Coordinates of all heavy atoms in Angstrom, one line a residue:
M256 N 0.9 -1.2 0.0 CA 0.0 0.0 0.0 C 0.9 1.2 0.0 O 0.8 2.1 -0.9 CB -0.9 0.0 1.2 CG -1.9 1.1 1.3 SD -3.3 0.8 0.2 CE -4.4 2.2 0.6
S257 N 1.8 1.3 1.0 CA 2.6 2.5 1.1 C 3.6 2.6 0.0 O 4.1 3.7 -0.3 CB 3.3 2.6 2.5 OG 4.2 1.5 2.5
A258 N 3.8 1.5 -0.7 CA 4.8 1.5 -1.9 C 4.2 2.3 -3.0 O 4.9 2.8 -3.9 CB 5.1 0.1 -2.3
D259 N 2.8 2.4 -3.1 CA 2.2 3.1 -4.1 C 2.3 4.6 -4.0 O 2.1 5.4 -4.9 CB 0.7 2.8 -4.2 CG 0.5 1.3 -4.6 OD1 1.4 0.8 -5.3 OD2 -0.6 0.7 -4.2
L260 N 2.6 5.1 -2.8 CA 2.5 6.5 -2.4 C 3.5 7.4 -3.2 O 3.0 8.4 -3.8 CB 2.7 6.7 -0.9 CG 1.8 7.8 -0.3 CD1 0.3 7.5 -0.7 CD2 2.0 7.7 1.2
P261 N 4.7 7.0 -3.3 CA 5.7 7.9 -4.1 C 5.2 8.1 -5.5 O 5.3 9.3 -6.0 CB 7.0 7.1 -4.0 CG 6.9 6.3 -2.8 CD 5.4 5.9 -2.7
G262 N 4.8 7.1 -6.2 CA 4.3 7.2 -7.6 C 3.1 8.2 -7.7 O 3.0 9.0 -8.5
Y263 N 2.2 8.0 -6.7 CA 1.0 8.9 -6.7 C 1.4 10.3 -6.4 O 0.9 11.2 -7.1 CB 0.1 8.4 -5.6 CG -1.1 9.3 -5.4 CD1 -2.2 9.2 -6.3 CD2 -1.2 10.3 -4.4 CE1 -3.3 10.0 -6.2 CE2 -2.3 11.1 -4.3 CZ -3.3 11.0 -5.2 OH -4.4 11.8 -5.0
A264 N 2.3 10.6 -5.5 CA 2.8 11.9 -5.2 C 3.5 12.5 -6.4 O 3.3 13.7 -6.7 CB 3.7 11.9 -4.0
K265 N 4.2 11.7 -7.1 CA 4.9 12.2 -8.3 C 3.9 12.6 -9.4 O 4.0 13.7 -10.0 CB 5.8 11.1 -8.8 CG 6.7 11.5 -10.0 CD 7.7 10.4 -10.3 CE 8.5 10.7 -11.6 NZ 7.8 10.3 -12.8
A266 N 2.9 11.8 -9.6 CA 1.8 12.1 -10.6 C 1.1 13.4 -10.2 O 0.8 14.2 -11.0 CB 0.9 10.9 -10.7
Q267 N 0.9 13.5 -8.9 CA 0.2 14.7 -8.4 C 1.0 16.0 -8.7 O 0.5 17.0 -9.1 CB -0.1 14.6 -6.9 CG -0.7 15.8 -6.3 CD -2.2 15.5 -5.8 OE1 -2.5 14.3 -5.6 NE2 -3.0 16.5 -5.7
R268 N 2.3 15.9 -8.4 CA 3.2 17.0 -8.7 C 3.2 17.4 -10.2 O 3.1 18.5 -10.5 CB 4.6 16.7 -8.2 CG 4.9 17.1 -6.8 CD 6.4 17.2 -6.5 NE 7.1 16.0 -6.9 CZ 7.3 14.9 -6.1 NH1 6.7 14.9 -5.0 NH2 8.0 13.9 -6.6
E269 N 3.2 16.3 -11.0 CA 3.2 16.6 -12.5 C 1.9 17.2 -12.9 O 1.9 18.1 -13.7 CB 3.5 15.3 -13.2 CG 4.9 14.8 -13.2 CD 5.1 13.4 -13.7 OE1 4.1 12.8 -14.2 OE2 6.2 12.9 -13.7
W270 N 0.8 16.8 -12.3 CA -0.5 17.3 -12.6 C -0.5 18.8 -12.2 O -1.0 19.7 -13.0 CB -1.6 16.5 -11.9 CG -2.9 17.2 -12.0 CD1 -3.6 17.8 -11.1 CD2 -3.8 17.2 -13.2 NE1 -4.8 18.3 -11.6 CE2 -4.9 17.9 -12.9 CE3 -3.6 16.7 -14.5 CZ2 -6.0 18.1 -13.8 CZ3 -4.7 17.0 -15.4 CH2 -5.8 17.6 -15.0
E271 N -0.1 19.1 -11.0 CA -0.1 20.5 -10.5 C 0.8 21.4 -11.3 O 0.5 22.6 -11.5 CB 0.3 20.5 -9.0 CG -0.8 20.1 -8.1 CD -0.3 19.8 -6.7 OE1 0.9 20.0 -6.4 OE2 -1.2 19.4 -5.9
A272 N 1.9 20.8 -11.9 CA 2.8 21.6 -12.7 C 2.1 22.0 -14.0 O 2.5 23.0 -14.7 CB 4.1 20.9 -12.9
M273 N 1.1 21.3 -14.4 CA 0.4 21.5 -15.7 C -0.6 22.7 -15.6 O -0.9 23.3 -16.6 CB -0.3 20.3 -16.2 CG 0.5 19.2 -16.8 SD -0.4 17.7 -16.9 CE -1.8 18.2 -17.8
E274 N -1.0 23.0 -14.4 CA -2.0 24.0 -14.2 C -1.5 25.4 -14.5 O -0.3 25.7 -14.2 CB -2.5 24.0 -12.7 CG -3.2 22.7 -12.4 CD -4.6 22.6 -13.1 OE1 -5.4 23.6 -13.0 OE2 -4.8 21.6 -13.7
P275 N -2.2 26.2 -15.2 CA -1.8 27.6 -15.4 C -1.6 28.3 -14.0 O -2.5 28.1 -13.2 CB -2.9 28.3 -16.2 CG -4.0 27.4 -16.1 CD -3.5 26.0 -15.7
P276 N -0.6 29.1 -13.8 CA -0.3 29.7 -12.5 C -1.3 30.7 -12.0 O -1.5 30.8 -10.8 CB 1.1 30.3 -12.7 CG 1.2 30.5 -14.1 CD 0.4 29.5 -14.8
D277 N -2.1 31.3 -12.9 CA -3.0 32.4 -12.5 C -4.4 32.1 -12.6 O -5.3 32.9 -12.6 CB -2.6 33.7 -13.3 CG -2.8 33.4 -14.8 OD1 -3.1 32.3 -15.2 OD2 -2.7 34.4 -15.5
G278 N -4.8 30.8 -12.9 CA -6.2 30.4 -13.0 C -6.7 30.5 -14.4 O -7.7 30.0 -14.7
G279 N -5.9 31.2 -15.3 CA -6.2 31.1 -16.7 C -6.8 32.4 -17.3 O -6.5 32.7 -18.4
V280 N -7.7 33.1 -16.6 CA -8.4 34.3 -17.1 C -7.3 35.4 -17.2 O -6.6 35.6 -16.3 CB -9.6 34.7 -16.3 CG1 -10.1 36.0 -16.8 CG2 -10.6 33.7 -16.2
R281 N -7.2 36.0 -18.4 CA -6.2 37.0 -18.5 C -6.8 38.2 -19.3 O -7.8 38.1 -20.0 CB -5.0 36.5 -19.3 CG -5.3 35.9 -20.7 CD -4.1 35.2 -21.3 NE -4.3 34.9 -22.7 CZ -5.1 33.9 -23.2 NH1 -5.8 33.2 -22.4 NH2 -5.2 33.8 -24.5
E282 N -6.1 39.3 -19.2 CA -6.4 40.5 -19.9 C -6.3 40.3 -21.4 O -5.3 39.7 -21.9 CB -5.5 41.7 -19.5 CG -6.2 42.7 -18.6 CD -5.4 43.9 -18.3 OE1 -4.4 44.2 -19.1 OE2 -5.7 44.6 -17.3
C283 N -7.2 40.8 -22.2 CA -7.1 40.8 -23.6 C -6.0 41.6 -24.1 O -5.8 42.8 -23.7 CB -8.4 41.3 -24.2 SG -8.4 41.4 -26.0
S284 N -5.1 41.0 -24.9 CA -3.9 41.7 -25.3 C -4.1 42.6 -26.5 O -3.4 43.5 -26.7 CB -2.8 40.7 -25.7 OG -3.2 39.8 -26.7
A285 N -5.3 42.3 -27.2 CA -5.6 43.2 -28.4 C -6.0 44.6 -27.9 O -5.6 45.6 -28.6 CB -6.7 42.5 -29.2
C286 N -6.6 44.7 -26.8 CA -7.1 46.0 -26.3 C -6.6 46.4 -25.0 O -7.0 47.3 -24.4 CB -8.7 46.0 -26.3 SG -9.3 44.8 -25.2
N287 N -5.6 45.6 -24.5 CA -5.0 45.8 -23.1 C -6.1 45.8 -22.0 O -6.0 46.6 -21.1 CB -4.2 47.1 -23.1 CG -3.0 47.0 -23.9 OD1 -2.3 45.9 -24.0 ND2 -2.6 48.0 -24.7
G288 N -7.1 45.0 -22.2 CA -8.1 44.9 -21.1 C -9.1 46.0 -21.1 O -10.0 46.0 -20.3
R289 N -9.1 46.9 -22.2 CA -10.0 48.0 -22.2 C -11.4 47.6 -22.7 O -12.4 48.2 -22.4 CB -9.5 49.1 -23.1 CG -8.3 49.8 -22.5 CD -7.8 50.8 -23.6 NE -8.8 51.6 -24.2 CZ -9.2 52.8 -23.8 NH1 -8.5 53.4 -22.8 NH2 -10.1 53.5 -24.4
G290 N -11.4 46.6 -23.6 CA -12.7 46.2 -24.2 C -13.1 46.9 -25.5 O -14.0 46.5 -26.2
D291 N -12.4 48.0 -25.8 CA -12.6 48.7 -27.0 C -11.3 49.2 -27.7 O -10.3 49.2 -27.0 CB -13.6 49.8 -26.9 CG -13.1 50.9 -25.8 OD1 -11.9 50.9 -25.6 OD2 -13.9 51.6 -25.3
L292 N -11.4 49.5 -28.9 CA -10.2 49.9 -29.7 C -10.6 51.2 -30.5 O -11.7 51.4 -30.8 CB -9.8 48.9 -30.7 CG -9.4 47.5 -30.1 CD1 -9.4 46.5 -31.2 CD2 -8.0 47.7 -29.5
P293 N -9.6 52.1 -30.7 CA -9.9 53.2 -31.6 C -10.3 52.7 -33.0 O -9.7 51.8 -33.5 CB -8.5 53.9 -31.7 CG -7.7 53.4 -30.6 CD -8.2 52.0 -30.3
D294 N -11.4 53.3 -33.5 CA -11.9 52.9 -34.8 C -10.9 53.4 -35.9 O -10.7 54.6 -36.1 CB -13.3 53.5 -35.0 CG -14.0 53.0 -36.3 OD1 -13.3 52.4 -37.1 OD2 -15.2 53.2 -36.4
P295 N -10.3 52.4 -36.6 CA -9.4 52.8 -37.7 C -10.0 53.5 -38.8 O -9.3 54.2 -39.6 CB -8.8 51.4 -38.1 CG -9.8 50.4 -37.7 CD -10.5 51.0 -36.5
T296 N -11.3 53.4 -39.0 CA -12.0 54.1 -40.1 C -12.5 55.4 -39.7 O -13.1 56.1 -40.6 CB -13.1 53.2 -40.6 OG1 -14.1 53.1 -39.6 CG2 -12.7 51.8 -41.0
D297 N -12.4 55.8 -38.5 CA -13.0 57.1 -38.0 C -11.8 58.0 -37.5 O -11.1 57.7 -36.6 CB -13.9 56.8 -36.8 CG -14.8 58.0 -36.5 OD1 -14.3 59.2 -36.7 OD2 -15.9 57.9 -36.0
E298 N -11.7 59.1 -38.2 CA -10.6 60.1 -37.9 C -10.8 60.8 -36.6 O -9.9 61.3 -36.0 CB -10.4 61.1 -39.0 CG -9.7 60.4 -40.2 CD -9.6 61.4 -41.4 OE1 -10.1 62.5 -41.3 OE2 -9.1 60.9 -42.4
D299 N -12.1 60.8 -36.1 CA -12.4 61.4 -34.8 C -12.0 60.5 -33.6 O -12.3 60.8 -32.5 CB -13.9 61.8 -34.7 CG -14.2 62.9 -35.7 OD1 -13.3 63.7 -36.0 OD2 -15.4 62.9 -36.1
A300 N -11.4 59.3 -34.0 CA -10.9 58.4 -32.9 C -12.1 57.9 -32.0 O -11.9 57.8 -30.8 CB -9.8 59.0 -32.1
D301 N -13.2 57.6 -32.6 CA -14.3 56.9 -31.9 C -13.8 55.5 -31.6 O -12.9 55.0 -32.3 CB -15.5 56.8 -32.7 CG -16.5 58.0 -32.4 OD1 -16.2 58.7 -31.4 OD2 -17.5 58.1 -33.1
H302 N -14.3 54.9 -30.5 CA -13.9 53.6 -30.2 C -14.9 52.6 -30.6 O -16.1 52.8 -30.6 CB -13.7 53.5 -28.7 CG -12.4 54.2 -28.3 ND1 -12.2 55.5 -28.4 CD2 -11.2 53.6 -27.8 CE1 -10.9 55.8 -28.0 NE2 -10.3 54.7 -27.6
V303 N -14.4 51.4 -31.0 CA -15.3 50.3 -31.4 C -15.0 49.1 -30.4 O -13.9 49.0 -29.9 CB -15.0 49.8 -32.8 CG1 -15.5 50.9 -33.8 CG2 -13.6 49.5 -33.1
Q304 N -16.0 48.3 -30.3 CA -15.8 47.1 -29.4 C -14.7 46.2 -29.9 O -14.6 45.9 -31.1 CB -17.2 46.3 -29.3 CG -17.2 45.3 -28.3 CD -18.5 44.5 -28.3 OE1 -18.7 43.7 -29.2 NE2 -19.3 44.7 -27.4
C305 N -13.9 45.8 -29.0 CA -12.8 44.8 -29.4 C -13.4 43.5 -29.8 O -14.3 42.9 -29.0 CB -11.9 44.7 -28.2 SG -10.6 43.4 -28.5
E306 N -13.1 43.0 -31.0 CA -13.7 41.7 -31.4 C -13.1 40.5 -30.7 O -13.7 39.5 -30.6 CB -13.4 41.6 -32.9 CG -14.3 42.5 -33.7 CD -14.1 42.3 -35.2 OE1 -13.4 41.4 -35.6 OE2 -14.6 43.2 -36.0
A307 N -11.8 40.6 -30.2 CA -11.2 39.5 -29.6 C -11.8 39.1 -28.3 O -12.0 37.9 -28.0 CB -9.7 39.8 -29.4
C308 N -12.3 40.1 -27.5 CA -12.8 39.8 -26.2 C -14.3 40.3 -26.1 O -14.9 40.2 -25.0 CB -12.0 40.6 -25.1 SG -12.0 42.3 -25.3
E309 N -14.9 40.7 -27.2 CA -16.3 41.2 -27.3 C -16.6 42.3 -26.3 O -17.7 42.3 -25.7 CB -17.2 40.0 -27.1 CG -17.2 39.0 -28.3 CD -18.2 37.9 -28.2 OE1 -18.9 37.8 -27.2 OE2 -18.2 37.1 -29.2
G310 N -15.6 43.1 -26.0 CA -15.8 44.2 -25.1 C -15.7 44.0 -23.6 O -15.8 44.9 -22.8
F311 N -15.4 42.7 -23.3 CA -15.2 42.4 -21.8 C -13.8 42.8 -21.3 O -13.6 43.0 -20.2 CB -15.5 40.9 -21.6 CG -16.9 40.5 -21.9 CD1 -17.2 39.6 -22.8 CD2 -18.0 41.2 -21.2 CE1 -18.5 39.2 -23.1 CE2 -19.3 40.8 -21.5 CZ -19.6 39.9 -22.4
G312 N -12.8 42.8 -22.3 CA -11.5 43.1 -21.9 C -10.8 41.9 -21.2 O -9.6 42.0 -20.8
L313 N -11.4 40.7 -21.2 CA -10.8 39.6 -20.5 C -11.0 38.4 -21.5 O -12.0 38.3 -22.2 CB -11.5 39.2 -19.2 CG -11.3 40.3 -18.1 CD1 -12.3 40.0 -16.9 CD2 -9.9 40.3 -17.6
L314 N -10.0 37.5 -21.4 CA -10.1 36.2 -22.2 C -10.0 35.0 -21.2 O -9.3 35.1 -20.3 CB -9.0 36.2 -23.2 CG -9.0 37.2 -24.3 CD1 -7.7 37.1 -25.2 CD2 -10.2 37.0 -25.2
S315 N -10.8 34.0 -21.6 CA -10.7 32.8 -20.8 C -9.5 32.0 -21.2 O -8.8 32.4 -22.1 CB -12.0 31.9 -21.1 OG -11.8 31.3 -22.3
P316 N -9.2 30.9 -20.4 CA -8.0 30.1 -20.8 C -8.0 29.6 -22.2 O -7.0 29.3 -22.8 CB -8.0 29.0 -19.7 CG -8.8 29.5 -18.6 CD -9.8 30.5 -19.2
D317 N -9.2 29.4 -22.8 CA -9.4 28.9 -24.1 C -9.2 30.0 -25.2 O -9.3 29.8 -26.4 CB -10.8 28.3 -24.3 CG -11.0 27.2 -23.3 OD1 -10.1 26.5 -22.9 OD2 -12.2 27.0 -22.9
G318 N -9.0 31.3 -24.7 CA -8.9 32.4 -25.7 C -10.3 32.9 -26.1 O -10.4 33.7 -27.0
E319 N -11.3 32.5 -25.4 CA -12.7 33.0 -25.7 C -12.9 34.2 -24.8 O -12.3 34.4 -23.8 CB -13.7 31.9 -25.3 CG -13.6 30.6 -26.1 CD -14.0 30.8 -27.6 OE1 -15.0 31.5 -27.9 OE2 -13.2 30.3 -28.4
P320 N -13.8 35.1 -25.3 CA -14.2 36.3 -24.5 C -14.7 35.8 -23.1 O -15.5 34.8 -23.0 CB -15.3 36.9 -25.3 CG -15.1 36.5 -26.7 CD -14.5 35.1 -26.6
F321 N -14.3 36.5 -22.1 CA -14.7 36.1 -20.7 C -15.5 37.2 -20.1 O -15.1 38.3 -20.0 CB -13.4 35.8 -19.9 CG -13.7 35.5 -18.4 CD1 -14.1 34.2 -18.1 CD2 -13.7 36.4 -17.4 CE1 -14.4 33.8 -16.8 CE2 -14.0 36.0 -16.1 CZ -14.4 34.7 -15.8
D322 N -16.8 36.8 -19.8 CA -17.7 37.7 -19.2 C -17.7 37.6 -17.7 O -18.2 36.5 -17.2 CB -19.1 37.5 -19.8 CG -20.2 38.4 -19.2 OD1 -19.8 39.2 -18.3 OD2 -21.3 38.3 -19.6
P323 N -17.2 38.5 -16.9 CA -17.1 38.4 -15.4 C -18.5 38.2 -14.9 O -18.7 37.5 -13.9 CB -16.5 39.6 -14.9 CG -16.0 40.4 -16.1 CD -16.7 39.8 -17.3
G324 N -19.5 38.9 -15.5 CA -20.9 38.7 -15.0 C -21.4 37.3 -15.2 O -22.2 36.8 -14.4
Q325 N -21.0 36.7 -16.3 CA -21.5 35.3 -16.6 C -20.9 34.4 -15.5 O -21.6 33.5 -15.1 CB -21.0 34.9 -18.0 CG -21.6 33.5 -18.3 CD -21.1 33.0 -19.7 OE1 -20.6 33.8 -20.5 NE2 -21.2 31.7 -19.9
A326 N -19.6 34.6 -15.1 CA -19.0 33.7 -14.1 C -19.8 33.9 -12.8 O -20.1 32.9 -12.1 CB -17.6 34.1 -13.9
E327 N -20.3 35.1 -12.5 CA -21.1 35.3 -11.3 C -22.4 34.6 -11.4 O -22.8 34.0 -10.4 CB -21.3 36.8 -11.1 CG -20.5 37.5 -10.0 CD -20.7 39.0 -10.0 OE1 -21.8 39.4 -9.9 OE2 -19.7 39.7 -10.1
R328 N -23.0 34.7 -12.6 CA -24.3 34.0 -12.7 C -24.2 32.5 -12.6 O -25.0 31.8 -12.0 CB -24.9 34.4 -14.1 CG -25.5 35.8 -14.2 CD -26.4 36.0 -15.4 NE -25.6 35.9 -16.6 CZ -24.9 36.9 -17.2 NH1 -24.8 38.1 -16.5 NH2 -24.2 36.8 -18.3
E329 N -23.1 32.0 -13.2 CA -22.8 30.6 -13.1 C -22.6 30.1 -11.7 O -23.0 29.1 -11.3 CB -21.7 30.2 -14.0 CG -22.1 30.1 -15.5 CD -20.9 29.8 -16.4 OE1 -19.8 29.6 -16.0 OE2 -21.2 29.8 -17.6
A330 N -21.9 31.0 -10.9 CA -21.6 30.6 -9.5 C -22.9 30.6 -8.7 O -23.2 29.7 -7.9 CB -20.7 31.7 -8.9
E331 N -23.8 31.6 -9.1 CA -25.1 31.6 -8.4 C -26.0 30.3 -8.8 O -26.6 29.7 -7.9 CB -25.9 32.8 -8.9 CG -25.9 34.0 -7.9 CD -26.5 35.2 -8.4 OE1 -27.7 35.1 -8.9 OE2 -25.9 36.3 -8.4
E332 N -25.9 30.0 -10.1 CA -26.7 28.8 -10.5 C -26.1 27.6 -9.8 O -26.9 26.7 -9.5 CB -26.5 28.6 -12.1 CG -27.6 29.5 -12.8 CD -27.3 29.5 -14.3 OE1 -26.7 28.5 -14.8 OE2 -27.7 30.5 -15.0
Y333 N -24.8 27.5 -9.7 CA -24.2 26.3 -9.0 C -24.6 26.3 -7.6 O -24.9 25.2 -7.0 CB -22.7 26.4 -9.2 CG -22.0 25.2 -8.5 CD1 -22.0 24.0 -9.2 CD2 -21.2 25.4 -7.4 CE1 -21.4 22.9 -8.6 CE2 -20.6 24.3 -6.8 CZ -20.7 23.0 -7.4 OH -20.0 22.0 -6.9
A334 N -24.7 27.4 -6.9 CA -25.1 27.5 -5.5 C -26.5 27.0 -5.4 O -26.9 26.3 -4.5 CB -24.9 28.9 -5.0
D335 N -27.4 27.5 -6.4 CA -28.8 27.0 -6.4 C -28.9 25.5 -6.5 O -29.6 24.9 -5.9 CB -29.5 27.7 -7.6 CG -30.2 29.0 -7.1 OD1 -30.2 29.3 -5.9 OD2 -30.7 29.7 -8.0
F336 N -28.0 25.0 -7.5 CA -28.0 23.6 -7.7 C -27.7 22.8 -6.5 O -28.3 21.8 -6.1 CB -27.1 23.3 -8.9 CG -26.8 21.8 -9.1 CD1 -27.7 21.0 -9.7 CD2 -25.6 21.3 -8.6 CE1 -27.4 19.7 -9.9 CE2 -25.3 19.9 -8.8 CZ -26.2 19.1 -9.4
K337 N -26.6 23.3 -5.8 CA -26.2 22.6 -4.6 C -27.3 22.7 -3.5 O -27.5 21.7 -2.7 CB -24.9 23.2 -4.0 CG -23.7 23.0 -4.9 CD -23.4 21.5 -5.2 CE -22.6 20.9 -4.0 NZ -22.3 19.5 -4.4
R338 N -28.0 23.8 -3.4 CA -29.0 24.0 -2.4 C -30.1 23.0 -2.7 O -30.6 22.3 -1.8 CB -29.5 25.4 -2.5 CG -30.1 25.9 -1.2 CD -30.1 27.4 -1.0 NE -30.3 28.2 -2.2 CZ -29.5 29.1 -2.7 NH1 -28.4 29.4 -2.1 NH2 -29.9 29.8 -3.8
N339 N -30.5 22.9 -4.0 CA -31.6 22.0 -4.4 C -31.2 20.6 -4.1 O -32.0 19.8 -3.7 CB -31.9 22.2 -5.9 CG -32.7 23.5 -6.1 OD1 -33.3 24.1 -5.2 ND2 -32.6 24.0 -7.4
Q340 N -29.9 20.3 -4.4 CA -29.4 18.9 -4.2 C -29.5 18.5 -2.7 O -30.0 17.5 -2.3 CB -28.0 18.9 -4.6 CG -27.5 17.5 -4.9 CD -26.1 17.5 -5.5 OE1 -25.2 18.2 -5.0 NE2 -25.8 16.7 -6.5
R341 N -29.1 19.5 -1.8 CA -29.2 19.2 -0.4 C -30.6 19.0 0.0 O -30.9 18.1 0.8 CB -28.6 20.4 0.4 CG -27.1 20.2 0.7 CD -26.7 21.1 1.9 NE -27.1 22.5 1.7 CZ -26.4 23.4 1.0 NH1 -25.3 23.0 0.4 NH2 -26.8 24.7 0.9
E342 N -31.6 19.8 -0.5 CA -33.0 19.7 -0.1 C -33.5 18.4 -0.5 O -34.3 17.7 0.2 CB -33.8 20.9 -0.7 CG -33.6 22.2 0.1 CD -34.2 23.4 -0.7 OE1 -34.9 23.2 -1.7 OE2 -33.9 24.5 -0.2
T343 N -33.1 17.9 -1.7 CA -33.6 16.7 -2.2 C -33.1 15.5 -1.4 O -33.8 14.6 -1.0 CB -33.1 16.4 -3.7 OG1 -33.5 17.6 -4.5 CG2 -33.7 15.2 -4.3
E344 N -31.8 15.6 -0.9 CA -31.2 14.6 -0.2 C -31.8 14.5 1.2 O -31.9 13.4 1.8 CB -29.7 14.8 0.0 CG -28.9 14.4 -1.2 CD -27.5 14.8 -1.2 OE1 -27.0 15.4 -0.2 OE2 -26.8 14.6 -2.2
E345 N -32.3 15.7 1.7 CA -32.8 15.7 3.1 C -34.2 15.0 3.1 O -34.7 14.6 4.2 CB -32.9 17.1 3.6 CG -31.5 17.5 4.2 CD -31.4 19.1 4.3 OE1 -32.5 19.7 4.3 OE2 -30.3 19.6 4.4
K346 N -34.9 15.0 2.0 CA -36.2 14.4 2.0 C -36.1 12.9 2.2 O -35.2 12.2 1.7 CB -36.9 14.7 0.6 CG -37.5 16.0 0.6 CD -38.1 16.4 -0.8 CE -38.4 17.9 -0.9 NZ -38.5 18.3 -2.3
P347 N -37.0 12.3 3.0 CA -37.0 10.9 3.2 C -37.2 10.0 2.0 O -37.9 10.4 1.1 CB -38.1 10.7 4.3 CG -39.0 11.9 4.2 CD -38.2 13.0 3.6
Ligands
ZN92 ZN1 -10.0 42.9 -26.3

């Protein structure tokens, strides 16, 4: 039993080394996290929504636009789900 432990610990270390150090969400490099860019077709320097991050200024680990509000909504939905799950489990 204890002979298995070093291999497991090694696998765990390798797995942890694969994780991105900052959780993955990062500022959009196209607009420096602003969410908009100067319109290249407008000499008055109006700003247009950044296409890379869809105006959120953040990108997910997959390089998709990251909506901080959506993460909050998902956290709420997950909390609801856990609450419902507990209530279901408590019923006889
Ligand atoms: Zn952007």
